[in-house]
Amino acid sequence: MPGSSPTASPRDALWRFAVRTYALPGVAPLCLRLQDEHGVDVDVVLGLLWLAERGVELDEASLTAMLDAAAPVHARVEQLRVLRRAVSSDREHDPRWQSTYEHLKAAELAAERVELSRIEAAVAPLVVDPAAPRAHDRAPELAGLALPRYAEHVNARESEPLLRELVVRTWPDARA
C-alpha cells in the first residue's frame, strides 16, 4: 500500500482512506507485521478501520460479505507479493531485475486497489456517504470491536495486540 496510483473513481473512498492511513507514522510496519507474521489481510483491516471511521458497527453478515468479496482478489495479491519478493532477492545479485521488480510492485498495488474496491462495494449499503471525510467519535471503539472479530475469523487472535496498536496509530488523538 506504499503509495497512491491511477485516477480515483467515485467509489474510491476506501482506497483514499487506505493510502492516507498507511502513510501515518508507524502504520506501515504494523501492517507488514500483521500480514507477514499473522497472515492478516491488511486490505480487510483497512476496510474495517474505514467503516469504524464512518461510524459503522459491523455485524457478522457484513464481515462475511467483506471477506467473501476480498478472498478471490487477495489470493492474486498474495501471488504477486510472493513473486515480487522473489525478484527482490534476485535483483540484489543482478540489478537487471530492478525493472521487473518495479512492475511487479505496481501490479501488486493495483491488485490491492481492486481488492479494496471489492470490499467497498460489499459494504456500500452500510455507508451513508463513502466520500465524507469525517472521523466518527466512536471510531476507535468500533474498530476495537470489529478487528478482534476479524482476527477470530482468520484464526489470528494472537495478532490482537498489533491490531490494538494499529487503532492507536490510526487515531492518535482519541482518548484511550
Side-chain angles (χ1 to χ4, degrees), residues 22-72:
Y22 199 85
L24 293 172
V27 169
L30 277 172
C31 287
L32 292 174
R33 285 188 63 199
L34 285 163
Q35 170 186 287
D36 295 343
E37 296 173 17
H38 301 284
V40 168
D41 182 344
V42 171
D43 291 331
V44 169
V45 168
L46 290 167
L48 293 169
L49 294 173
W50 178 71
L51 287 172
E53 185 164 273
R54 274 140 192 81
V56 175
E57 192 163 345
L58 197 70
D59 60 22
E60 197 65 29
S62 299
L63 176 59
T64 299
M66 279 181 77
L67 297 175
D68 289 348

Side-chain angles (χ1 to χ4, degrees), residues 1-2 76-91 96-113:
M1 186 73 41
R76 297 292 182 244
V77 169
E78 287 180 326
Q79 291 167 343
L80 287 164
R81 182 174 300 128
V82 166
L83 187 55
R84 176 185 55 81
R85 286 179 173 173
V87 168
S88 178
S89 177
D90 292 341
R91 75 186 170 136
R96 293 173 289 190
W97 281 105
Q98 183 63 34
S99 177
T100 303
Y101 172 83
E102 294 301 330
H103 288 295
L104 288 168
K105 185 171 148 185
E108 182 184 350
L109 190 59
E112 285 187 325
R113 190 170 187 165

